[in-house]
Amino acid sequence: MISDLMQIPLRDPTVYDELSADGVTPRAHWAPFMQGLRGIGSAELEKRWGRAERRIRENGVTYNIYGDPLGANRPWRIDLVPLLIGAEEWRFIEAGIVQRAELLNLVLEDLYGPQKLVSSGRLPAELLYANPAFLRPLAGLTVPKQTYLHLLAIDLARSADGKWWVLADRTQAPSGAGYALENRTIVADVLPDLFRTSNVRRLAPFFRAQRDALVNLAHRDHPRIVLLTPGPYNETYFEHSYLARYLGFTLVEGADLTVRDRQVYLKTVEGLQRVDVIFRRVDDSFCDPLELRAESYLGVPGLVDAIAAGNVKVANALGSGVIETAAMMPFLSGLSRHLLGEPLKLPSVATWWCGQDYALEWVLEHLESIVVKPAFPSRAMEPVFGADLAKTEKQEFRERLKSRPYDYVAQEQVALSAAPVWDGGNLFSRSMVLRTYVLNTGSGWVAMPGGLVRVAGSESAIVSMQRGGHSKDAWILWDGPVDTFSMLPPRDQPVELRRASVDLPSRVADNLFWLGRYVERSENKARLLRTLITRVRRASEAELSCLLRLHSCLDTQRSTLPKKRRATARELEEEVISLMTDAKRPDSLASTLAEVQRVGGVARERLSVDMTRLIGAISDSMQIEDYMLFVEYSAVLNGCLELLSAFSGMERENVTRGPGWLFMSLGRRLERATQSARQLREITTPLADGDWPLLEYLLEVADSSMTYRSRYYTTLQPVAMLDVLMADGTNPRSLAFQISHLVDLYQKLPRHIPDDLQAMRQALELLQSFDLRHLDYPLPGEAAREHLPGELLRLQDSLKALENLLPFWSNNLSNQYFSHARTFSITIG
């Protein structure tokens, strides 16, 4: 490519060039913009775009390409040069997409109502009743103001003669509007002067109208509106999160909602909150596993019943995906004349539904010039380009079409127009598709001025974000005053200070709670396994016995050790390695670290970028190759513990002390208390002469060796150990420290259960009731005693009672805040 930044890319005469008609001179509405780019210069543009790319990474603007190694961490790809559309041309597009939105809404109203279009033969019955997207439980339900479509996306392409054609209609849960907004924010920041002088129509008024339209659906003051997302692994999850913040809605997953008495509620740590409107980004059939798709984990059981009762409004209305099929396009022209009394202003690309005899015959004869798709998108099938099929493949495909013609739809292959793309200081031409958006305000239709432009990732004519495509902003160059309203606070005006935390959904609190538990569980396992792995090979018989007792503290249900005899050192070594690395063992360190990544991933919306990266590094820390030697295992555990310690530091120093932090910290303290109580019970059983090394091991696992030595030097005594690891409230590793913090943290939670708080206070008082200075503990060399001293026996029973209390206390916490179920009375007996 030529080095001159502003030289127009070589023109392909078979496609429409958005930038230039002759390949030499920019079109009239492009000329000022190109002159402005020349004034900025290539070097300055590169510098600005570098800052923009950093902003994309720092803000976490992502798009998940399925099967890509980067997964949900792949940055969103934006092009510097917007698509420019003149005012007159946009008026034509706007009129066409608004008309189409009105038509499609009327079609949906009929299909879920009287079905006159089918009974009169204007629509084939097969397109309705054979369509998996037709949801029979929704037939006949009343939709507020007959608003089946709240938001509609329409994909447009321009043919070689400059005419716009509709490629597809997205009616279920249209995506991309949030990315269009983010594109505008970034490109306008890179080219502020050009954006201002080009008199570009703003996007904020469209989103203001969308927010108002959703609020008006609720019919009550201060309604609660939520944005329902499939979750963080969805390809457009960033957009869901971004739009929820921008519009001021709560981002939720299906598990965050529950239906009680035909009313939808949001489960929060504050309690159940009534939901009035659901702005959904989940496909129709996944929205209610009770009525629509039993295997769905993304929806809300009972949602259809709540809709039928009129207690919640859903946008877009469930079932709107029935017309999200190209098979509907051949009939839209006639339906427009019938329902609207006028022809389509924006025609669909030539389409044939093979369920009609004449259409099938035409498709079979012209297979080389068309692309064949499934009639019903839910039936997975890659588009088949007839021109790419070999002779034998064409014949086989013809037979497939003949056998089930109603399952296929064919479309003309459109030579997409080309738009200029900035790449490394040069302009290149790439195929493009414009996705436009139309909003139903309840009193009329409003089009987003512009939309999301998608361009091919290379010289390929296929435009797909999943195949590495880019996105562009679309600027509507207006010929009159533009509304400069912005939903973002102006930079030159002070903002209202606030510290109140937003609603914390129960699911998020649950994940943060278990993130704390799994991190702490991982640390305890790593410390215990490190103690074992560094000693097992050289252990004497007495030391091996101590190591086996230490291993029992893991309380593993999948142990490979023999049950009817004492294990050998070799068997213990193999068990330790298995506990470290075997990802198939649910009790292994590798599995626990995988759980850290899982719950951290679903809670990443509430975590900093640094903490999210650290969680990924923690999960990867146990990647041990087969060639690694035994001596390297301890080094791997050291590295894992360093990362876990870094997480502890971030949790203490970087996380705001809000409800999320409370649950994460509760999880950590609860897990450490559970592990500590289990390990302390080993000390309350009098030690034989050969068991004394166990004291050293337990101190090491508790990371309290230096604390002990600073007080007692190297003299190991069980009572002193109990003081350090159980009763010392200044030691952050002691059991009393954990229980004391559980009391402090729990009483800060809203709606905490007084009896549960009292039970934990009683547990702390019980620990503090022991005067260890007078504890009669049998020492080595003493004569064997028939019974344990009374106070030692009471201590043993107390630790066991506490170990039993903690799981019940945790269950009550979960029932109260996460599942909103019944809690049970607990005491420390």
Side-chain angles (χ1 to χ4, degrees), residues 389-460:
L389 296 176
K391 186 175 182 180
T392 57
E393 291 175 328
K394 285 180 182 177
Q395 186 56 39
E396 292 175 359
F397 191 65
R398 285 190 176 96
E399 295 303 318
R400 283 175 57 190
L401 289 175
K402 291 178 183 178
S403 64
R404 298 180 63 88
Y406 42 81
D407 279 344
Y408 299 96
V409 63
Q411 288 187 317
E412 176 188 5
Q413 269 190 262
V414 178
L416 302 176
S417 64
V421 173
W422 163 273
D423 188 0
N426 297 319
L427 294 178
F428 295 82
S429 288
R430 295 287 184 264
S431 300
M432 59 140 276
V433 171
L434 171 63
R435 175 165 290 186
T436 57
Y437 299 90
V438 188
L439 169 70
N440 191 338
T441 65
S443 57
W445 297 86
V446 176
M448 177 189 290
L452 178 68
V453 183
R454 294 171 294 153
V455 293
S458 63
E459 296 182 2
S460 167

Side-chain angles (χ1 to χ4, degrees), residues 108-116 139-140 148:
L108 279 171
E109 183 181 341
D110 177 79
L111 294 182
Y112 283 100
Q115 299 184 352
K116 293 179 180 179
Y148 284 86

